[in-house]
Every structure is written in C-alpha cells, then in structure tokens.
Amino acid sequence: MKQPYNTALYMRLSRDDESYGDSVSIETQRTILRRFAEENNLHVVGEYIDDGWSGTNFDRPNFQRMMQDVEAGKVNCIASKDLSRFGREHIMMDYYLEFVFPEKGIRYIAVSDNEDTEKGLSDFVPFKNLFNEWFAKDTSRKVKNSLHAKFLAGERTFAYAPLGYKRDPDVKNRLVIDEETRWIIEKIFDLAFHGAGAAKITGILLEEQVPTPGWLNYTRYGTFANIYADAPEKKRYTWTVAQVKSIVKNETYIGNSVHGIQTNISYKNKKKIRKPPEEWLRIENTHEAIIPKEVFERVQEQIASRRRKMKTATTQIFSGLVKCADCGWSMSYGTNNSNSKPFHYFVCTNYRQHGPKHCDCTSHYIRYDTLYAYVLSRLQYWSAQFDMGEEHLKSQLLHANNREQQHMVKMRNAELKRAQKRQKELDRLFSKLYEDWAAERITEYNFKVLSEKYQTEQAEVLEKIERLQAELATEQQATVNIDQWISLIQQYAHPEELTAEMINALIEKIVVHEKTIGEDGEKEQTVDIYYRFVGKID
C-alpha cells in the first residue's frame, strides 16, 4: 500500500474577500479541503490559516510556518481551495509552482481549479495566476475609490475614535464629542496656547496623573490588555512627547477630517509611506469641533516659531545617534542658560519626560563639549592608526578576537563537514529504506517508525548546516566590513573638527552610561562608540 501524502491544508482570506460572502470563507475552504483529503487518502498534518492577509503578500505568518514545515520534511503536499487562495502575485506563483515545489518534491493541489502538480498543471495556470493578480489590483482600486467617496461625504473610517471623541451611536462613520474626555484635549491645547512645549505638557500630564488614551480604551473596551492588564498603576498615566505632539497638530479637534496622509507603495507592497501634505485630502466641518480654529492656528504658529529658534542654535551634529545605556532611549539635546556662559548637554529622554517618580532610569547627563572632544579624539586616533599602514589598522581591528576567531572558524568548518556527510548518509539510508519497504523486505510499521526517525534527524542536520553556513558567512563578512570602514576612515583622514556628515558616515550609535563615583570621590563616565561596519572597537 502506498504511503499517503503528508498534506498541509492552506486557507487564506483577505479583508477585501469578505465582501464576497460565504463562498470564500475560511469555514467553506476548510470543508472543501477536508472532504478532498478524505476522498483522496491524503494524510492531513495540519491546517495553516492566514485570515486577513492579502494574496499579493507572501510574508503571511502561517504561509511562512507552512514553508518551514516543508523545509523540515513534515509536509510533502499542499492543498488550497484554488490558486488565488495560495497567492495573487503571478511571478511568485510561478516561482513556487515551477521551481520551489519541483525542487523539494512537493505536490500542490488547487482543488476547485482542478490543478494538481502530480498530474501535470494545465497550460492555463499562468493565465489564471495573471487573472488572480489583476483581480487583486482591481479590488484594490475599487476599495480606494469607495473610501474616497466616503471621505468626500464627510465619513471617517477608524478602529478607535481620537481622544475627546467617540463613535456616533446613530450615524455610521461619524464622530461626536465625548464629554467625559474632552477636558483632556482642552487642557493640552490651553497649555500649548499659553506657551508650553510638548515636553512640558507631557510632564504636567504625568504629574497630575491624567489617563492616557490607551488606558481609557482598555477600561472601556478591553483593548490593549497585553499592555495594561498586569502593568503597574503608573502605566495608566505614562504620556509621551510624541503623543502630545500628535494631538496638538491634529485637525480633528477643529472639526476637520484629513485623509491620505499615508499610502501603500502599491497594491502588492503594503509598506506605508508618508505622502506630502499637498496630496492629503482635507474635508472641513465633518463633525463638531472641540478647539476653536483661532486657538489651533495660534498653537501651530508657536510650534513653527519654536522649531525656527532651534535651528539658530548650535548645530546638533549628533542628532539621533546618542543613546542611553540603561533604557535604550535616545538622549535629548538641551541648553543650560543659567550660567554666564550657556552650554549644551545631553540627558536621557525617558528620564527627562517622565522624571524619577515615573521612570526607573537616571539622567545619564553629559555635556555636549565633553562628548564632542571624546568622539573627535577617537576618530583622530583611528586616523593615526591608518597613517601607520592599512595592514596595521586591519591588524588592530582584528587583534582582540583574532586568535579566538580563527579557532572558531576551524571548529565550524569541521563541524559543517561532519553535518554534510551525515546529511548524505541519511539521504542514502532513507532511499534504501524506501526500496526495502517497496520490495516488502520490511513491514509498513517498521518503515513508518524508521522514516519518522530519519526525517526528524534530517531536519535537525539541515538546520545545523544552515546555522553553521550562516555563522561562517558572518565571519567572512567581518573582513569585508573592516575593509569598508578602513575606506571610510581614509576618506575622513586627520579630522580637526566634527561634522554631521562625518559622524553619520563613521558612527552607528554612541551609548552613554551613568556616571560612577570612585572611593576617592572622582567621577568617571563610560561612553561606548559603535562604529559602522565594525561595531565597538575602542
């Protein structure tokens, strides 16, 4: 008796498909696939369901899980209701049907399309795949047109109403003011109107324990339970500067609806990109305003004015690079004007926003001029090492781990050879086992037991080979990375001052530790520089 196929039943439903009713529902797909498997003696090893995923995207979680099981040898047959359930991108469909599945010995069945790789796919499959892709493109266009029409009619689509509003109980896709929370919005704009910046407003909200939008949604609807269910009480009031900035710039609070701020790259690529403001769709007076328009406009003027003032200050060449060593947050750039000679500094943003009462971190304070001098001295040091010869610098970069690295490479190469040898042995043993079973020299029970054993070991050996190859590739890449960094340090040789261009080219991040005080009372502070391509080498 021939061994049945180990079959994966794959089901997919996108949000756009739901409008077509039960004919493509997950339950309908399951019924069709289970009946087909039973009637055709297919051994079902699992169901893989991607609910809410587009067929043009092959990074679906359960699709990837299924392909991992294929790689592990657990699955040698895949069945879906039709070709479109498997995917709607014709190039990727051809890739799987013409290359991946034949190479790995995978049988694929599209039940409703009557396509089966074991019997040979029909000549119409490429056309079916093209049609399925065209269908996805056409559906995407229709959805966009439908949404555009809704927006022009003053409707909004949203998962959660913005803070200060709630869903209109009588009119779909409309907002009405939430009298229980509007005071939070009014408070934020009042503070902004009277000159408070986002950081100061955030501090006031924390100090006065004003609940966050996330906490309010959790208490009302049970959403974000993964964040708030077992969190300490202070989590309820943990506002961030980003949240405050978003609110004070949001035209929702003057009664407007702004759409199309972001869009997908294409109907195939769902990655979001931000559109320029002139392409946004702005519909005015779609709902009742909480904030008067003149107040909102005055706040925007103050934000713009504050941004212009920052640009006239000392150039902040370390922007985005300085990180707190303990909490990982970026360090904020500030100015101390209380002395006769003002100076600039960095402090942990987490600590600055939330303070010691609401934050487990510390300030990690460091003066700008101190950091500047240290970074410049390290770049000058490495430039001097290059002056002594490129090979000398390469030796310096490899010195710390060179001996251990060579030893590890030898060990990994030897281990890889052993694993590859065992892989060939397993393939030969499995082939011999199959011949013995086919010739009835062993029982079906023994064949099943031994084949499962060999398949398990094959998966483990394959995983080991891939891991070792990746580790060896990483070791080889290290040398390439060193050459790239040496090329950069040569480009910026003998620096007398730092520039933003130089720092961003050579440095990935700068990690600042908290100061320590020795027994003699002397303060020390560690600063770790992680260089591009080579990491931490100081």
Side-chain angles (χ1 to χ4, degrees):
M1 176 180 167
K2 188 177 180 181
Q3 184 189 25
Y5 280 96
N6 294 325
T7 306
L9 305 184
Y10 181 72
M11 290 156 266
R12 181 190 63 81
L13 185 70
S14 73
R15 294 289 172 249
D16 296 337
D17 291 325
E18 291 173 355
S19 61
Y20 292 91
D22 292 338
S23 63
V24 292
S25 70
I26 294 295
E27 197 53 46
T28 298
Q29 293 178 55
R30 178 183 285 114
T31 301
I32 292 171
L33 292 175
R34 283 182 176 177
R35 184 186 302 121
F36 181 86
E38 183 178 349
E39 292 174 352
N40 290 273
N41 194 32
L42 299 176
H43 173 60
V44 177
V45 296
E47 294 182 351
Y48 302 80
I49 302 170
D50 284 314
D51 195 352
W53 288 84
S54 168
T56 59
N57 176 10
F58 281 80
D59 290 329
R60 303 165 231 148
N62 276 289
F63 179 87
Q64 292 299 323
R65 183 171 66 88
M66 178 178 68
M67 295 310 298
Q68 288 169 6
D69 287 346
V70 167
E71 294 288 345
K74 298 177 183 178
V75 170
N76 60 4
C77 179
I78 298 172
S80 63
K81 175 182 174 290
D82 52 45
L83 290 162
S84 70
R85 295 305 97 200
F86 190 83
R88 287 188 182 275
E89 207 284 328
H90 79 279
I91 295 176
M92 288 300 294
M93 288 295 293
D94 288 347
Y95 170 69
Y96 279 102
L97 295 176
E98 301 294 338
F99 295 97
V100 176
F101 291 164
E103 182 181 282
K104 299 185 182 300
I106 303 300
R107 179 185 181 187
Y108 171 70
I109 307 165
V111 177
S112 299
D113 286 330
N114 197 27
E115 298 290 353
D116 186 340
T117 56
E118 187 177 64
K119 301 174 183 177
L121 298 174
S122 73
D123 294 337
F124 291 101
V125 166
F127 298 100
K128 291 179 180 178
N129 289 331
L130 276 171
F131 178 83
N132 288 332
E133 182 176 325
W134 170 83
F135 183 85
K137 183 177 182 179
D138 187 58
T139 300
S140 175
R141 178 184 58 80
K142 288 177 180 176
V143 168
K144 285 183 178 180
N145 289 342
S146 175
L147 286 173
H148 190 79
K150 287 183 178 181
F151 297 156
L152 290 175
E155 295 184 42
R156 295 172 64 112
T157 56
F158 49 88
Y160 307 104
L163 182 64
Y165 287 97
K166 61 183 180 181
R167 292 180 183 275
D168 190 324
D170 302 317
V171 182
K172 188 178 180 181
N173 296 334
R174 299 273 182 175
L175 294 175
V176 293
I177 293 176
D178 180 4
E179 297 298 338
E180 293 181 14
T181 60
R182 70 178 295 168
W183 67 272
I184 302 175
I185 298 302
E186 290 171 338
K187 180 181 185 68
I188 290 171
F189 273 94
D190 182 62
L191 289 167
F193 183 80
H194 288 92
K200 184 175 181 180
I201 295 172
T202 302
I204 292 171
L205 297 175
L206 281 164
E207 189 65 30
E208 297 183 5
Q209 294 193 339
V210 175
T212 63
W215 169 253
L216 289 167
N217 278 331
Y218 171 66
T219 56
R220 289 178 170 183
Y221 314 117
T223 52
F224 309 116
N226 60 315
I227 298 175
Y228 296 103
D230 300 314
E233 184 180 352
K234 66 179 182 181
K235 186 70 176 177
R236 307 173 186 180
Y237 318 111
T238 309
W239 284 81
T240 66
V241 171
Q243 284 177 306
V244 173
K245 284 183 177 180
S246 176
I247 287 173
V248 296
K249 295 178 181 179
N250 193 340
E251 291 188 36
T252 295
Y253 297 112
I254 56 173
N256 295 348
S257 293
V258 182
H259 309 283
I261 297 175
Q262 290 183 321
T263 187
N264 297 331
I265 292 178
S266 72
Y267 73 98
K268 294 183 184 180
N269 190 332
K270 301 303 180 183
K271 183 179 179 180
K272 296 288 187 181
I273 55 172
R274 191 174 178 86
K275 295 169 66 175
E278 59 270 18
E279 294 182 17
W280 298 352
L281 176 63
R282 179 178 285 100
I283 310 298
E284 297 184 354
N285 304 318
T286 59
H287 53 273
E288 186 179 355
I290 295 178
I291 303 300
K293 190 173 182 180
E294 56 272 18
V295 171
F296 183 86
E297 290 176 348
R298 175 57 181 158
V299 168
Q300 306 315 303
E301 290 172 3
Q302 290 181 338
I303 292 171
S305 174
R306 194 175 293 112
R307 190 181 297 118
R308 284 194 295 271
K309 288 178 182 177
M310 282 296 294
K311 287 183 178 179
T312 63
T314 301
T315 305
Q316 213 299 73
I317 58 175
F318 296 111
S319 178
L321 296 178
V322 189
K323 309 291 182 182
C324 172
D326 292 319
C327 70
W329 282 47
S330 295
M331 303 276 281
S332 297
Y333 175 77
T335 305
N336 186 328
N337 292 309
S338 59
N339 293 358
S340 56
K341 291 185 177 180
F343 61 87
H344 308 289
Y345 61 89
F346 288 98
V347 67
C348 171
T349 303
N350 187 9
Y351 178 85
R352 186 175 194 170
Q353 287 187 17
H354 302 142
K357 292 182 181 179
H358 307 282
C359 171
D360 296 330
C361 203
T362 51
S363 69
H364 293 67
Y365 176 94
I366 187 170
R367 284 183 55 140
Y368 177 91
D369 51 6
T370 302
L371 183 65
Y372 184 103
Y374 177 71
V375 173
L376 178 59
S377 70
R378 297 315 302 160
L379 293 181
Q380 288 173 334
Y381 168 81
W382 289 112
S383 179
Q385 295 302 303
F386 178 80
D387 289 342
M388 299 172 68
E390 185 173 332
E391 289 304 315
H392 171 79
L393 177 55
K394 186 177 292 188
S395 175
Q396 284 283 94
L397 294 172
L398 290 171
H399 177 72
N401 297 315
N402 191 44
R403 188 173 299 173
E404 181 183 357
Q405 185 182 28
Q406 288 180 354
H407 176 67
M408 291 301 296
V409 168
K410 286 182 180 178
M411 286 183 59
R412 288 190 181 112
N413 271 318
E415 194 176 355
L416 177 60
K417 287 179 181 178
R418 288 194 296 269
Q420 289 172 331
K421 182 180 179 182
R422 181 56 180 166
Q423 184 186 34
K424 291 179 180 178
E425 290 175 355
L426 286 169
D427 289 343
R428 180 180 57 78
L429 288 169
F430 199 86
S431 177
K432 180 69 166 54
L433 179 67
Y434 183 82
E435 290 174 3
D436 289 345
W437 170 69
E440 298 184 348
R441 287 192 288 268
I442 62 171
T443 65
E444 185 174 347
Y445 172 79
N446 286 337
F447 173 77
K448 184 176 181 182
V449 170
L450 289 171
S451 64
E452 287 179 355
K453 176 186 174 184
Y454 288 152
Q455 285 177 353
T456 300
E457 189 177 355
Q458 278 179 323
E460 292 171 352
V461 170
L462 180 61
E463 183 181 350
K464 187 176 186 179
I465 289 171
E466 290 175 348
R467 174 178 58 79
L468 290 168
Q469 288 173 335
E471 289 171 353
L472 287 167
T474 301
E475 299 290 353
Q476 293 169 356
Q477 185 62 38
T479 303
V480 176
N481 290 344
I482 286 173
D483 291 338
Q484 289 178 302
W485 195 77
I486 288 175
S487 175
L488 284 173
I489 201 69
Q490 181 183 12
Q491 182 180 342
Y492 295 99
H494 311 114
E496 296 297 328
E497 62 179 8
L498 298 177
T499 65
E501 178 189 7
M502 178 198 306
I503 291 174
N504 281 280
L506 292 167
I507 295 174
E508 183 179 324
K509 65 179 177 179
I510 301 168
V511 178
V512 179
H513 295 256
E514 186 58 271
K515 289 186 179 71
T516 58
I517 302 176
E519 293 181 359
D520 57 357
E522 186 174 343
K523 294 181 180 179
E524 292 186 359
Q525 188 167 22
T526 300
V527 175
D528 296 327
I529 301 176
Y530 289 80
Y531 299 92
R532 294 198 183 279
F533 304 115
V534 292
K536 182 183 170 185
I537 54 177
D538 287 321

